[in-house]
Structures are given as structure tokens and as C-alpha cells.
Amino acid sequence: FPSHDRSGRQPMVGLTLPITMLGQALVKTFTDAESELTRFAKVYGSDLVNQSYDATEKMKEQVKGLSKTIAAEFGTAVKETNALAADLAAAGYEGQKLLDMTYQTSRLAILGEVDRQEAMKATLSLQNAFNMSTQQLSDSINFLNSVENQTSTSLQDLITAIPKTGPIINSVLS
């Protein structure tokens, strides 16, 4: 019964290999996402010497939840959102403001089909030049998307222009 032995082994190899590959991919994805959260924990908090471990861990959990929400809504990798949150934490954002900026920046990156670093520069410029609330920032992103939809200007062009022109416009308006 050699053919019986062979037919039993073949399905086993055919199933084991894809499952092993899937497992390896999942481990890599999880490890990448966790490494960004570790980086986040290193840069989070204004007083790093006295920063409460519990507060940082709580914020990490909130970032994890936000990353899952953004992944479900926009299809962005959890690792990318965790990295963005770490970048914004390094820029000094904390608490709800950090979560809001992470969400709005992710939204702008998806709508404008741009790199998250470019989107982050634009949202930081809008925040710094015009001192916008989260709702105003959201409204501005909606407006920029509307401009893109109704004109030949791309959101990429607008995102590139904001860091360069935002401070100038603000100084003229002030």
C-alpha cells in the first residue's frame, strides 16, 4: 500500500506549509507593531524621568485600540498607526490630543494618498500655524478633500503647500 502512505503525507505537507507561513507572517506583523509601541513608550510624556508607568501603559492601550480602529476604517497597517503615534508623541503631543492628531493625520494620508510623514507635516503645520482644535482640523481636512474633488488641484499638492505657506498666511492674518 505505498500509494496509501503517499496520499496521507501529501495533504499533510500541503496544509502544514501554508499554515506555517501564515504563522510566520502573523508573528512578524505583531513584532513590528509591538516595536513601534515600545518606541512610543520611550518618547511619550513631557517629564520622562517622572512619567508614570501606568499612564504610559494606559496610553499605549489607547493607541493600540486606535490603531485597530484605523485599520478597520482605512485599511492602514497597525504598525503604521503605532509609528505615527510615536512620531507625534516625540513631537510633544499627549493624551487625547495625541489620539486625535493620530486619527486626523491617518485620515489625511488616506484621503490624499500620501505618505504618513507628509500628512503629519501638514497636520502639524495646520496645528502650529492656526492653533486649530481637533474639530477645526477635521473640518480643514474635509475642506481640503472637497477642494481636491472640485478642482484639478490634488490633495498631495495642497499637503505639500501647507507647511510652506501656513506660517506666512497666519502672519498676514494676524
Side-chain angles (χ1 to χ4, degrees):
F1 299 87
S3 63
H4 175 70
D5 181 48
R6 188 174 207 176
S7 66
R9 253 184 316 166
Q10 198 63 25
M12 215 38 174
V13 171
L15 289 175
T16 305
L17 189 59
I19 290 172
T20 302
M21 291 172 64
L22 175 65
Q24 290 172 339
L26 289 174
V27 166
K28 181 177 178 351
T29 300
F30 177 78
T31 303
D32 290 347
E34 283 300 311
S35 70
E36 290 299 338
L37 283 175
T38 300
R39 187 170 71 89
F40 171 82
K42 288 179 183 177
V43 297
Y44 183 74
S46 57
D47 184 8
L48 294 178
V49 176
N50 296 319
Q51 181 68 25
S52 163
Y53 174 80
D54 292 337
T56 300
E57 287 301 307
K58 182 180 176 188
M59 197 65 210
K60 268 177 57 177
E61 289 303 313
Q62 290 178 322
V63 167
K64 273 186 189 179
L66 179 63
S67 295
K68 290 176 185 174
T69 299
I70 290 173
E73 286 182 24
F74 305 132
T76 304
V78 169
K79 175 191 172 192
E80 293 294 316
T81 304
N82 291 347
L84 177 60
D87 291 344
L88 289 167
Y93 287 91
E94 297 179 351
Q96 190 60 45
K97 188 77 167 174
L98 171 80
L99 297 173
D100 293 341
M101 284 292 288
T102 302
Y103 183 84
Q104 294 303 330
T105 301
S106 296
R107 199 168 143 247
L108 182 60
I110 295 301
L111 288 173
E113 298 176 4
V114 296
D115 177 68
R116 71 179 167 84
Q117 289 297 321
E118 289 297 315
M120 187 175 89
K121 283 183 204 171
T123 54
L124 289 175
S125 293
L126 286 169
Q127 277 294 121
N128 293 335
F130 303 108
N131 199 21
M132 295 181 165
S133 69
T134 302
Q135 184 58 50
Q136 290 170 323
L137 181 60
S138 178
D139 292 344
S140 293
I141 292 169
N142 291 341
F143 176 75
L144 292 172
N145 190 41
S146 177
V147 167
E148 177 190 41
N149 292 339
Q150 296 175 12
T151 67
S152 61
T153 304
S154 73
L155 199 50
Q156 170 66 49
D157 295 336
L158 296 170
I159 289 171
T160 302
I162 289 169
K164 296 173 183 173
T165 60
I168 296 167
I169 293 169
N170 187 37
S171 68
V172 170
L173 296 174
S174 296

